[in-house]
Amino acid sequence: LGTHRGSGLVLQGSPRTPPAAADDGGFESGAYNNSAIQTPNLDALAQRSVVFQNAFTSVSSCSPSRASILTGLPQHQNGMYGLHQDVHHFNSFDGVRSLPRLLSQARVRTGIIGKKHVGPEAVYPFDFAYTEENSSVLQVGRNITRIKALVRQFLQSQDERPFFLYVAFHDPHRCGHSQPQYGAFCEKFGNGESGMGWIPDWKPQLYRPEQVQVPHFVPDTPAARADLAAQYTTIGRMDQGIGLVLEELGHAGFRNSTLVIYTSDNGIPFPSGRTNLYRSGTAEPLLISSPEHTKRWGQVSQAFATLLDLTPTILDWFSIPYPSYSIFGTKRVQLTGKSLLPALESEQPWATAFSSQSHHEVTMYYPMRAIQHQQFRLIHNLNYKMPFPIDQDFYISPTFQDLLNRTRAGQPTHWNKTLHQYYYRDRWELFDCSRDPTESQNLAPDPRYAAIFQLLRTQLLKWQWDTGDPWVCAPDAVLEKKLSPQCRPLHNEL
C-alpha cells in the first residue's frame, strides 16, 4: 500500500494494501529470519520500516480479509462473509463506506493494480483500476513487468492530489485448482519455457525441497517440501516485483513522501494455515515505512497490530476523520481498529487482536471467533460438531493429497496432529502461545486457566456486541434485538 501525503502505497501479496500486498503470503523472507529464501527487496524495505512481529489478519480468507483491510470493519460487520467470485458471490453491504470511497471524497486519488476480489463496485470504487474485473489476473497480479508498467502509468498520470495506490500481487497464491499447467503455485508462469510465456523482468529462483524451512504446522514430508519450494519461487517473483514498484516510486520522485505498507491477507495455504484462526492462520507479515518516522527504521515492534488497523492508519496519515454513519438502523459504525502511526514513533503497549470468520467458499460454513491477548489465544468454534471444511484449492494440493494418502494407508504423516484432530475441534480452544507455540494443548477445560478463559471470553463477547456481530448469541441462543436480554436460549443441548 502506498500513500503519498504525500501519498500512500500498499503492497500486498495476493490481495491486499498499497503499495504491496501478498496473496496467501507468510513469513518466507529474510526480514522475518527465514534464511532459506532470498528476498532482497523485502529485506531492504524492512531496513526502512518498522517490522511488526505480532500482526494479525482479522479473518483467514481472501475476500473477507481484503474487505476488512479496505473498510476497517470485520467481515461480520461489513458483510463480506466469504469469497466474492463466481458461485460464492459474497459482497459487502451497500451502505459500507470503504477506504477508497472516503479517500476519493477527501480528494485523494486512488488506484488498484492486481487482485481486487471484493465488491460491489459502488462500495469499492477506484479512480485507476487494473484488476481481474478488466484484465487477466495472471497479467496484473503475477506478471511483474506488466505491474511495473501499470505503476509507471499511474504515477506519470498523477495530478496535484495526494494518492493511494494498492498493489495487490496474486503471488504466492496456489493455482493448481485454476491454472494447473503453470504448477502448484504458478511457479512456471512466465519462466520462458515452452508454453509458459516470458516475464522479462523476472529472474526465476529455483529451490530444492531439502533447502526450505518447514513451518511447525506443516507436515515435514517430501511432498510438502516440494510444495514449499514452488511457493518460494513465486515469493521470489513477488519480491522482485516489489523492487520494481519501489524503483518506479523513486523515479517519479515520490519515494521520500510516501507511506509504504507491506502485508498479506491470510495464512499460507497449508494445513492449519489459511481458513484457520490459529496463530498459524492469522499471523501476518507487516512492514510500515514512513519517510516522516525514520528513527525506528529497521526496528522490530512487539506491539499487536491487525489488518483492521490499516484503514485508521491511512486515514490518520491523510488527516481524514472517520465519518459518523450507520449501515442498518440507527446504530453508528465505530472503527475498533487504531492508527499504527504512533508505533512508528515509539513502542506501544498494544496486546490484543480479534478475529472473525464465517465462510471461505460458500459451502464452507464454519463460523469462528477468536481473541489473542498477550500470549493467550482463545478460539470459539461455533459449528464444532461438524468437521472442519477443506477448500477446493487446498484439497488438490500435493501437501494435502499426501496427507490424505498417508492417513488412509496408516503411514506416518510427520505432522503435529492427526487428520481427525484437524477435522473435529472442541467448541472452545485456549492456548498459551509462549509455552505452547504449536498450539497443541487446549487449556480451555483446565480449571487452572478458568480466570484467563473467562477474561478472554468476556473481551471477545464485548467486541462482538460492539461490532454488531449477527452470530453473537450462537450457537446455543438466538439474537432477538427487541427483547431483553437479546440472546434467547434454544435449549439445544449444546
Side-chain angles (χ1 to χ4, degrees):
L1 286 171
T3 55
H4 170 67
R5 177 109 100 227
S7 304
L9 175 65
V10 177
L11 301 170
Q12 192 174 17
S14 153
R16 264 84 35 277
T17 41
D23 201 354
D24 295 357
F27 297 95
E28 302 80 18
S29 69
Y32 283 95
N33 300 316
N34 186 326
S35 59
I37 190 171
Q38 296 179 3
T39 53
N41 296 289
L42 276 175
D43 300 350
L45 179 60
Q47 291 303 310
R48 293 171 55 98
S49 304
V50 173
V51 179
F52 288 83
Q53 291 281 22
N54 289 298
F56 303 92
T57 180
S58 68
V59 53
S60 194
S61 173
C62 180
S63 297
S65 181
R66 291 163 195 260
S68 294
I69 287 170
L70 292 174
T71 63
L73 308 176
Q75 57 86 23
H76 63 250
Q77 189 174 19
N78 73 58
M80 187 71 73
Y81 300 145
L83 299 180
H84 174 60
Q85 85 280 11
D86 302 332
V87 298
H88 314 296
H89 201 58
F90 288 100
N91 285 275
S92 289
F93 300 127
D94 293 340
V96 168
R97 300 193 188 181
S98 71
L99 179 63
R101 184 175 167 190
L102 295 176
L103 294 177
S104 182
Q105 290 171 348
R107 297 202 76 253
V108 175
R109 183 178 179 232
T110 61
I112 180 172
I113 298 167
K115 185 175 177 181
K116 186 178 182 183
H117 214 202
V118 293
E121 169 66 24
V123 172
Y124 298 99
F126 285 87
D127 301 321
F128 179 99
Y130 285 85
T131 71
E132 74 278 6
E133 294 179 357
N134 58 12
S135 308
S136 160
V137 72
L138 291 177
Q139 294 300 327
V140 297
R142 298 190 196 259
N143 182 343
I144 60 176
T145 298
R146 175 70 171 147
I147 293 169
K148 176 186 73 172
L150 290 171
V151 170
R152 181 177 299 175
Q153 181 181 334
F154 176 83
L155 296 175
Q156 288 181 344
S157 60
Q158 180 61 19
D159 52 28
E160 76 285 352
R161 292 174 295 170
F163 70 76
F164 167 83
L165 178 60
Y166 175 21
V167 181
F169 291 95
H170 195 20
D171 285 329
H173 196 286
R174 289 189 180 277
C175 72
H177 174 64
S178 55
Q179 295 105 2
Q181 69 272 26
Y182 296 122
F185 281 89
C186 275
E187 70 276 8
K188 300 176 184 177
F189 173 70
N191 68 4
E193 295 178 2
S194 177
M196 296 297 105
W198 180 51
I199 300 173
D201 288 289
W202 181 36
K203 298 175 179 60
Q205 301 153 286
L206 303 181
Y207 295 86
R208 299 189 305 276
E210 61 270 21
Q211 290 179 297
V212 304
Q213 289 184 10
V214 181
H216 68 79
F217 53 91
V218 174
D220 193 349
T221 60
R225 283 180 168 272
D227 226 5
L228 287 164
Q231 181 210 33
Y232 277 25
T233 295
T234 59
I235 291 170
R237 180 169 56 207
M238 180 188 68
D239 179 78
Q240 292 176 39
I242 289 170
L244 294 172
V245 171
L246 295 178
E247 275 185 21
E248 292 300 322
L249 200 63
H251 293 330
F254 293 122
R255 185 71 192 270
N256 293 324
S257 59
T258 300
L259 179 74
V260 176
I261 303 171
Y262 168 78
T263 188
S264 182
D265 54 349
N266 45 245
I268 62 174
F270 285 86
S272 297
R274 186 186 65 196
T275 74
N276 288 269
L277 291 192
Y278 299 124
R279 185 181 179 100
S280 49
T282 58
E284 301 297 341
L286 179 62
L287 309 178
I288 302 183
S289 176
S290 166
E292 298 183 7
H293 305 83
T294 60
K295 69 177 183 179
R296 292 205 73 193
W297 277 7
Q299 292 187 19
V300 171
S301 174
Q302 300 296 334
F304 278 37
T306 90
L307 300 189
L308 293 174
D309 298 332
L310 294 185
T311 282
T313 300
I314 293 165
L315 291 176
D316 186 17
W317 175 259
F318 288 118
S319 301
I320 299 172
Y322 192 72
S324 175
Y325 76 102
S326 60
I327 299 175
F328 299 111
T330 59
K331 184 175 181 179
R332 314 310 283 177
V333 173
Q334 299 290 328
L335 291 178
T336 56
K338 61 199 175 287
S339 171
L340 298 176
L341 295 186
L344 307 186
E345 295 271 7
S346 60
E347 187 67 357
Q348 299 297 311
W350 307 323
T352 306
F354 296 96
S355 302
S356 165
Q357 182 138 342
S358 299
H359 287 267
H360 179 62
E361 294 168 354
V362 68
T363 58
M364 294 175 62
Y365 180 64
Y366 199 86
M368 301 172 283
R369 303 294 183 265
I371 175 177
Q372 172 113 18
H373 179 66
Q374 298 175 346
Q375 75 267 35
F376 291 101
R377 173 171 292 264
L378 179 67
I379 303 173
H380 186 193
N381 297 307
L382 281 69
N383 211 16
Y384 68 102
K385 292 203 172 185
M386 291 293 289
F388 187 79
I390 305 297
D391 65 270
Q392 297 170 321
D393 183 43
F394 174 53
Y395 177 81
I396 65 167
S397 70
T399 297
F400 191 71
Q401 285 298 306
D402 181 65
L403 181 57
L404 282 179
N405 292 337
R406 286 173 177 270
T407 300
R408 289 163 55 199
Q411 298 173 348
T413 61
H414 305 286
W415 193 26
N416 67 349
K417 60 183 71 175
T418 66
L419 202 53
H420 181 86
Q421 290 170 331
Y422 189 68
Y423 285 147
Y424 296 98
R425 309 178 180 192
D426 295 329
R427 175 172 175 177
W428 295 96
E429 296 180 283
L430 175 66
F431 303 105
D432 181 346
C433 297
S434 62
R435 296 184 178 182
D436 177 27
T438 62
E439 297 172 303
S440 300
Q441 184 179 3
N442 183 11
L443 303 174
D446 190 331
R448 293 175 297 177
Y449 291 88
I452 189 67
F453 173 82
Q454 194 55 47
L455 172 66
L456 267 60
R457 185 175 177 177
T458 300
Q459 284 183 280
L460 180 60
L461 194 63
K462 180 182 183 303
W463 179 73
Q464 290 183 259
W465 282 112
D466 288 346
T467 54
D469 188 355
W471 282 265
V472 66
C473 302
D476 38 21
V478 169
L479 176 61
E480 294 288 354
K481 293 183 178 180
K482 296 183 179 180
L483 300 180
S484 181
Q486 293 185 341
C487 289
R488 313 302 290 186
L490 285 166
H491 305 291
N492 55 9
E493 302 177 15
L494 294 181

